[in-house]
Amino acid sequence: MKKLFVIGSAVLLLFFGTYPFLKSTELGSCVAYALGSFLEVAQDPSARFLGKVHEDTARCRGGDDAAKWRATPWVDWQRYRATGGEESRSTGLTSKLGFLSPNTRGITGALLDMEYQRIELLQFNLFDNHGTFEAYVRGRNGTPGPSLKAWPQLRLPLGHPAYGAVGGDGPQQCQGELIRFRNLTGICNDILNPLMGSTDQPFGRNVRFEATFPDLGKNEMAINRHGDRLGLLKPDPQVISRKLFSRLQQPGSNCNAGYGSPDHVPEAHCDYQKAPVLNVLAAFWIQFMTHDWFSHLEEGRNQPELMSMGCSTRIFNGSQSPLTAQEVKQLGCRPEDRVDRSLIAADQPAATFTQENKQHLVRAHKTTLNRVTAWWDASQIYGYNDRSRKRVKRDPRDPAKLALEPSNLRGEAGAEYLPLLQTADYANSQWSGQESVAFPDNWNVGLSFFHNIFAWEHNIFVDAFRKQAAVTPDEDSGLRNPLRPSAIIRYTDVTDEDLFEVTRLVVAAEIAKIHTLEWTPQLLYNEPAYLGMNANWSGLASKNKLAASALEQLLVRLAKSPGANARAWYSAFAAGPGIFGLGNQQPDVNGGVNHFGSPFNFPEEFVTVYRLHPLVPDLFELRDLRTDPNVIRSKIPVVETVRGKATQALRQHGLANWGISMGRQRLGLLTLQNSPAFLQNLSVPRLGSSTGRIDVAALDIIRDRERGVPRFNEFRRQYGLKQLTSFDDFIDPRLRQDSAERAEQQRLVGVLREVYKQHRCDESKIITTAQLNDDGSKINDCLGHPNGSMVDNIEDVDVVVGMLAEFTRPHGFAISETQFQVFILNASRRLFSDRFFTSSFRPEFYTKLGVKWVNENGPDGKVMEKGKPNGHEMEVSPLKRVLLRTIPELKTELDSVVNVFDPWARDRGHYYSLQWKPRPGAVTDPAFKNR
Ligand code: HEM
C-alpha cells in the first residue's frame, strides 16, 4: 500500500513538476509524509506522541484545518478527513482515488494514531498494585518484565478452598473442574495466575505511583504543582457541585430539586442538555456494565465512620474562608451532609526500589480493593462471592434456568420478572423490596430492565439447548471436561449445572459483544471509532479494506521502528484477526491471553472516567406502547424509580413500555452544569445523618481525592495527552468568535476560574516528570506564561470536572478525549487478558450451540440489517436481537432501529449525522420538538 502510495504521488508530481510550489499544499505534504521518516514508538514517556503528528502528516490527512489544529492541546486525528459527518468528507474526483483518496488518508491516519496511542499506553501506563511492579521494571531471571507471564503474588494463599487443587505450596496451575467455566470469585481465568481478576484484588493504576495522591504532597513535583491548595475538601466539593454541576432550571419549571411533581403530570419539567445520538437505555447500560467490572463498596457500604462532604469554604484571596449562611443558602448545598469514608486496603508507607539510578515506589501510597471480579463475566447477574451467589435464584423446575415469577401488577398474562430479595440474602436495609440479583446497589428501573432482559435471555438459551438435546441427544455437544479431554460429551450428558455455567459464558460474551460493537460505536459516533471497535472484536483485515490498509501501514512502520518490541507487535497483530477468539485454534486453552507484563485488574483511574452521572435525566418520559407511543403519558421522577421502587415501577408498566420510553428519550450530555438534581439531593437513610441526604456529584469528587487520582492536567500528561495551560484552552477553537456556543463556553470557563482561582506562578518550580515542553525543557509552574504572572489553577482541576469541561471533542463523541484515552487501553486489555474471550472461546467450554449463538447473535443464523447504515453492511445488532427475543411486542418499533442505543423512531440520515428527522409514524412525538 505504501509503495502504491509513493508511486502514485510521484507520478502526480512528475505530471505537475512543481514540487517546491506544492510543498505547503495537501499533495506536497502527502509526498513529504510518504518520503519522510516513520514515527517511532517512544522509548521514554517524555518522547510520547501525544496524539500529535508532523505538519506534513496532518495536512496530508486533513488539509490545512488539520495542520492548524496541531497548535491546540487536542488530538490531531479529529480534524482528518472523513472522521466527522458528511461535511468532513471530500467529494469529487479525488474521493474516487481509492487508497490515495483524502477520505482514506483521513480514516487510516486516525486508525494509525489510535493504534500508536494504544501501543504507548501498553508501554508506559501499566502499574500493578499487587506487588509485581518491581519485577515489571527489573525483569526476572533474564526475562524482561513486560514479557513475564506469571507472578507469585497471584498464587492462591494458604487457606483458600482451592489451594490444594491448584498445587498448594508447589508450582500452582489451575486444572480440571477449576478451568471448565467462569468460577464464582473469578479465580483461574488465567490458568497460571489463579488469583488474577478475582474478587477483592487491588485496583491497579494507569499513572506512575509517584503521581498518585497529590493531596498528600509526598514529593517535590506534587508540592510544586499544587502548593497547599489541595485537600479532601479543598476546593470545596459541594461548592464545585453547585456551581459547576447543577443543571440550570428555567423559572417555574416545577422540577422540585429533581423530585418532580407528585402526580407525574406530563407537563412537569426538569431541564437538561440532551446528547444527540444516545438514549436513556445507554445510560443504564453503562451502569449495568460497571457493576460487572468494579465496585469499591462491599454490600453497598464503605467504612462505618462518617465524614463531612463540604459546603463549608470558598477560596478568597488565595486562601480558604468559611461560607456565610447567605452563601450556603444561595448555593443550595448542605453543610450537615455526611458520608461514609472509603474503604482502604493498605496505607502504610510504600517501599521503594532503585533501578538504573531511579527510585520507584512498589505500589501507590494507598490501595483499594475491587470488591467484585474484574472479568467481564456478568458477575452483576451471576455473582462474585458466596453472599452474592445466594441472591441468584434458580428456577426450581429447571435448575439450569434463572427464576422468574409472574407479577399481577399490570394484570398481564405471561409477564414474568426476577423474584424479590429475601431478607436473609442481604446486609443492606436499603435494598429491601428490590429484585434478587447478585449486585443490587444503586438499583433503579434501568438496571432492573437490563437484569430482567438478560435473565430472560439466559432462559431462552437454556430452552434452545434443551430443544436441541431433545432432537439430537446422542450428538456431540462440543463440551469437554479438561480431566478427560478426548471424551465426547453428548447433548444428553450435559448436566443442569454444566448448562447453567455454559449459559453464563454465553450471556457474558453476548454482553461484551453488545458493549463493544453496539454501545461504544454509538458513544463515539464516527467512522474511525466504528472501525476500531470492530477491529477489537473481530479483526480488521478480513472485514474492511480501509482498516486493513491502516494495519498494513502500521506493521510496515513498526518493523522499521527501533522502538518496536514484543508488546507493540502483539498489539498491532492482534488488531488483525481481532482480539475475540484469539488463539482459540491452538491446543493451549490459555495461550491466547496477553497481560503485557502486568496482571490484569482495572485501574483506579478507570472508575473515575465512568463517573457518568450527568447521563441520567431527572424525569422519565413514560409512554404506552399499546395505545400511542408518540404520546408522553406521564413524567416519572427517576428518584421514584430507585431501590425498591424500581421493582414496583418495572412491574407496574412492564418491560415493553419501559423499553420504548427509555429507547425514545435522549440521555444527558456529559458537560458542565448538567448533573441530575435528584442525585445532588439523594436520600440515603442508611447513613443516619441529620440531613439523611448526600450530593452524589460532590461525592464523585471526594471519592477520587480519597483514592488519589491525580488532578486533570497531570492525569492527561500521564496518559500521553497534551496538557492545558489555562482554562481558556477548554474553549472549542472551531467555534466562531461571535457564536452563542462560544459565549456559553466562555461563561463556563469564567465559573471554573471563579471556583479554582489563579496564583502567581514561579518558573523555578518544576511540576512534572511525565512530559517535557516542545523545546525539550522541563515543564514548570508557569506553563509557558511569563514568570510571576497570574496563571489559572488548571493543575488543581478535578478529573471529573475537567472531563466534563472538554467542550472540544472528536465528532460524535459523547465522552471527552481524556476519557477515551483511558478506554483505548483498558477496553482492549479486558479482552486481551480474558481466556474466555480469547483462547478458551471454543466449543469445549461454550458448546457448539454457544459458540454459534455468540457469533451469530442468537439462533436463526446471521441476520442482516436493511440498507447500508453509514455505508456499512451490518448484521442486525446483538442487543436488537436480544430485545426481539425477550420483548417481541417491540418488533414494529425496532424495525427502523439500527443501534438500540440510538434514540428510537428517528431517521438518522447520512454519514454520522448528529441530526435526524422523525421516522414516518412518529412525527407527532413531542420529543422531536425539543432538540
Ligand atoms: C439512579 C441512578 C444512580 C444512582 C442512584 C447512583 C448512585 C451512586 C452513588 C450513591 C454512588 C456513590 C457510592 C459511594 O462511593 O459511596 C455512585 C457511584 C458511582 N456511580 Fe452511580 N448512580 C446512578 C447512576 C449511575 C450511572 C448511570 C453511572 C454510569 C456509569 C454511574 C456510575 C457510577 C460510578 C462509576 C460510581 C463509582 C463506583 C465505585 O466507586 O466503585 N452511576 N453512584
Side-chain angles (χ1 to χ4, degrees), residues 457 461 506 509-510 513-514 517 537 543 580 841 848-864 874-882 885:
E457 174 70 0
F461 180 82
V506 170
E510 279 187 287
K513 187 172 181 185
I514 291 167
L517 297 185
W537 191 261
K543 286 228 158 170
F580 193 77
F841 178 67
K848 289 179 190 169
L849 184 70
V851 166
K852 195 169 140 55
W853 195 281
V854 175
N855 283 337
E856 298 180 352
N857 300 332
D860 324 318
K862 282 198 176 168
V863 187
M864 297 309 288
M874 283 186 193
E875 281 176 52
V876 172
S877 78
L879 184 54
K880 182 163 156 181
R881 296 278 300 277
V882 170
R885 282 194 284 278

Side-chain angles (χ1 to χ4, degrees), residues 551-608:
L551 175 68
E552 192 189 314
Q553 279 192 42
L554 183 69
L555 293 180
V556 171
R557 279 158 186 244
L558 276 177
K560 302 196 176 194
S561 162
N565 64 19
R567 275 175 297 174
W569 273 108
Y570 192 85
S571 164
F573 272 124
I579 305 170
F580 193 77
L582 198 67
N584 68 354
Q585 304 298 321
Q586 311 299 322
D588 179 0
V589 298
N590 205 59
V593 299
N594 196 330
H595 314 300
F596 302 95
S598 190
F600 172 71
N601 206 312
F602 290 109
E604 199 69 63
E605 292 74 23
F606 190 72
V607 179
T608 300

